[in-house]
Amino acid sequence: MRNFLINTFGITESDAELFSASFEKIDLLKGDKFITYGKVSDKIGFVEKGLLKCTLMGSKKLVIDDFIFENQFVANYYSFLKQEESNKEITCLKDSILRVITRKKLEELGNKYLFVEKMARQVSEQLFISTAEKLEDIRLLNAEERYLKLLQANRKITEEIPQYEIASYLNISPETVSRIRNKLTLRS
C-alpha cells in the first residue's frame, strides 16, 4: 500500500507510512460482503489482494457497477460522503485481503495532515472523471467498442469474471458478449 500511495499521490515515505498505518487489515472470503445494501457506508478499503464487484440495486434490477482489483480503493463513495443508506453492495469475487479505514479515522487524519486532504481531493477528482467517462462510453460507444476498451484497461478481466457479469457491467446482454468474443476470435 505504501508504494501505491507514494507513486499515485506523490507523497513522502513517512506520510505514506503514517497513512497506511491507520488502516486495519481484514481478510474476506469469496462471497463476503464489504459493503451491505441498505446500510450507511462508513469505511473505505484498499485491496491488497483479491477481487470485488460492486452491484447497484434498483427496485427491479441488479447491475454490476464496477469491478475492484488489487491496488485500488473500494467504497460506496456516495453513501460514505452523504451518510445515506447504500444502494450498492460490494462483494468479494474471490478471497481478498483489504486494508480498511473508518470515516471517523479518515476525518481525524484529514483535520491533522494536509496531505490527507489533498489525497482525498485527488480521489474525488478521479472518481468524477471515471464516472463521466463511463457515461460517455455508454452513450457514444457501441457494445464491441466498450468491450474492447474494458479489455484494454484490464486484460485478465475475462479470466477472472464470468461473462454474464461483464455483460451487466457493459450494459449489454451475455449473448452480445459471446458474439463479440467470437467475432474477435475469428479476426485473430
Side-chain angles (χ1 to χ4, degrees):
M1 182 175 177
R2 282 188 19 240
N3 289 337
F4 172 83
L5 294 170
I6 293 165
N7 294 332
T8 303
F9 300 106
I11 62 176
T12 65
E13 277 193 46
S14 60
D15 286 347
E17 181 60 40
L18 177 110
F19 188 69
S20 59
S22 302
F23 284 68
E24 175 187 325
K25 179 185 169 198
I26 62 168
D27 295 306
L28 298 171
L29 301 174
K30 179 180 180 178
D32 284 353
K33 309 286 186 237
F34 176 65
I35 302 291
T36 305
Y37 175 76
K39 295 195 176 174
V40 175
S41 178
D42 66 342
K43 59 188 174 186
I44 292 177
F46 179 81
V47 183
E48 263 187 15
K49 185 174 187 225
L51 174 64
L52 296 90
K53 73 174 174 180
C54 180
T55 306
L56 184 60
M57 304 180 127
S59 60
K60 296 182 181 180
K61 189 176 181 182
L62 300 177
V63 177
I64 306 294
D65 185 53
D66 207 356
F67 298 106
I68 302 95
F69 294 90
E70 293 176 5
N71 293 316
Q72 290 184 323
F73 284 103
V74 58
N76 180 341
Y77 202 56
Y78 186 84
S79 173
F80 183 83
L81 291 176
K82 301 269 293 177
Q83 288 296 279
E84 294 178 357
E85 290 182 356
S86 177
N87 64 341
K88 296 179 182 179
E89 190 161 82
I90 301 177
T91 310
C92 294
L93 291 176
K94 61 184 187 180
D95 293 354
S96 301
I97 299 171
L98 276 65
R99 299 281 176 181
V100 178
I101 190 168
T102 64
R103 177 185 173 93
K104 182 180 179 199
K105 184 68 174 171
L106 188 61
E107 285 175 349
E108 289 170 3
L109 289 172
N111 290 333
K112 196 170 180 183
Y113 302 102
L114 185 60
F115 79 91
V116 175
E117 282 297 315
K118 183 180 174 189
M119 284 177 23
R121 187 187 77 247
Q122 288 175 303
V123 168
S124 292
E125 290 168 356
Q126 187 52 49
L127 285 171
F128 173 80
I129 291 166
S130 175
T131 301
E133 286 175 350
K134 191 173 177 183
L135 287 172
E136 270 184 24
D137 289 351
I138 287 173
R139 291 183 173 135
L140 300 175
L141 301 179
N142 65 36
E144 183 176 336
E145 291 168 330
R146 292 197 312 270
Y147 182 80
L148 289 170
K149 187 172 181 178
L150 180 64
L151 284 182
Q152 189 175 36
N154 192 326
R155 294 301 292 169
K156 64 182 184 175
I157 198 164
T158 56
E159 299 165 18
E160 299 196 67
I161 297 172
Q163 181 172 305
Y164 71 94
E165 290 187 338
I166 291 172
S168 176
Y169 174 74
L170 293 172
N171 199 28
I172 58 179
S173 72
E175 296 78 18
T176 301
V177 172
S178 183
R179 281 193 292 276
I180 292 168
R181 284 181 172 178
N182 289 336
K183 186 177 176 182
L184 293 174
T185 302
L186 290 173
R187 283 189 203 161
S188 41

